[in-house]
Amino acid sequence: MATTTRTRTAVTALNTAEQAFKLLTCEPAPLVFDARPVPGLPDTTMPLDELRTLLMFNRYDSDTTDEVWRQLAHHTRDWGPTWVVGAIGVALPALTHLAAKISRGHARHADDVDSDVLAGFLHALRTADLAPPRLWLRLCWAAWRAGAAVVKADDGEELPLDLPTGSRSPHMPYGHPDLLLGRAAAAGLITAEAAELISATRFGDALIEQLAAERGVTASVLRMRRRRAERVVAAAVTRGDLSGAMRPPAPRAAAAAA
């Protein structure tokens, strides 16, 4: 409840973005998105807040979601600040959720997390390659990595390098699986692609069959890769390798877990 209260009342980057979005989508002249070229969306134009509602409460396949964000990204790059505010507003439910997850246990950094999640998403929106698939997932990962970087220093402070760990229960990094995966990838234990695969299929809505088709492999091959990477991460957690300061990656560890 405390996180919800902070999100609703504090003046943070995400709350400021939400207020700007409301002004942009209010009558009599809300900013309008042309959904007609997007497969799976209604064949009409609609205010951006209606688009946000559709994306929140309906399950669209990745082709539809990617095309929505392709168009929004093009608009932000070609048509200026108004569309930057509009695109961020459409993403805000997801960005707010990510920021709350990262800030859990790091309340004093919550404002900074909000700012960096927003900055990371905006940078990706302006610079990411729009052609490859899973654009929305890639934008969210950029936001997550930026926000997670804020709390890394605190995590290091919790477990000094000279503190023997012995057989104690390993500290769960940052309190969320996606951050654990990010640390495993940063340590070279698994590849970034393997981390995204686990995140998208275990904690997101992606179907492994769909991702397999996009990558040109069978679903059974992708399941095997996921299972191998998960075993590497599980072993690292048991050893305590993902707690405290990061250790140098073992040679070729990531390649073995890809």
Side-chain angles (χ1 to χ4, degrees):
M1 185 64 68
T3 298
T4 302
T5 301
R6 181 190 69 82
T7 300
R8 287 179 178 174
T9 60
V11 180
T12 70
L14 295 179
N15 288 336
T16 301
E18 175 65 19
Q19 293 304 313
F21 182 71
K22 287 180 179 178
L23 293 174
L24 198 64
T25 55
C26 68
E27 297 295 344
L31 190 62
V32 171
F33 179 81
D34 186 358
R36 291 172 295 184
V38 181
L41 289 189
D43 187 22
T44 186
T45 60
M46 64 183 70
L48 281 182
D49 55 343
E50 292 185 16
L51 174 66
R52 182 168 79 173
T53 300
L54 279 180
L55 296 177
M56 285 176 60
F57 295 106
N58 294 277
R59 293 179 64 90
Y60 293 106
D61 61 29
S62 62
D63 289 341
T64 298
T65 305
D66 279 356
E67 186 56 33
V68 167
W69 281 100
R70 227 171 255 122
Q71 290 209 32
L72 287 172
H74 279 305
H75 293 347
T76 64
R77 297 175 189 189
D78 298 339
W79 296 347
T82 297
W83 277 95
V84 171
V85 174
I88 289 173
V90 174
L92 273 175
L95 298 183
T96 302
H97 178 73
L98 290 179
K101 290 282 189 182
I102 296 169
S103 298
R104 190 172 297 161
H106 300 273
R108 67 193 180 96
H109 293 307
D111 290 355
D112 291 334
V113 168
D114 277 14
S115 296
D116 281 35
V117 162
L118 183 57
F121 182 85
L122 180 55
H123 177 74
L125 193 65
R126 287 171 167 164
T127 62
D129 186 350
L130 304 182
R134 296 183 297 150
L135 175 59
W136 170 240
L137 182 61
R138 288 186 283 121
L139 295 175
C140 287
W141 264 94
W144 180 272
R145 286 191 293 265
V150 174
V151 300
K152 280 185 178 179
D154 267 4
D155 186 73
E157 290 167 4
E158 291 172 3
L159 188 64
L161 284 172
D162 58 352
L163 178 67
T165 58
S167 59
R168 72 172 184 86
S169 299
H171 169 66
M172 181 65 75
Y174 309 144
H176 189 272
D178 271 329
L179 282 171
L180 185 151
L181 293 172
R183 284 175 68 82
L189 298 174
I190 60 175
T191 63
E193 184 179 23
E196 289 191 14
L197 172 63
I198 296 170
S199 175
T201 56
R202 294 299 194 191
F203 313 116
D205 297 327
L207 298 176
I208 202 163
E209 291 80 7
Q210 179 182 354
L211 297 184
E214 292 174 356
R215 299 181 185 188
V217 299
T218 65
S220 60
V221 166
L222 213 54
R223 287 192 183 93
M224 180 180 65
R225 292 178 184 174
R226 181 180 65 183
R227 184 163 57 250
R228 190 161 56 220
E230 287 173 340
R231 287 172 179 168
V232 170
V233 174
V237 170
T238 301
R239 294 191 303 267
D241 289 351
L242 300 182
S243 300
M246 297 303 300
R247 300 178 182 180
R252 292 202 266 220

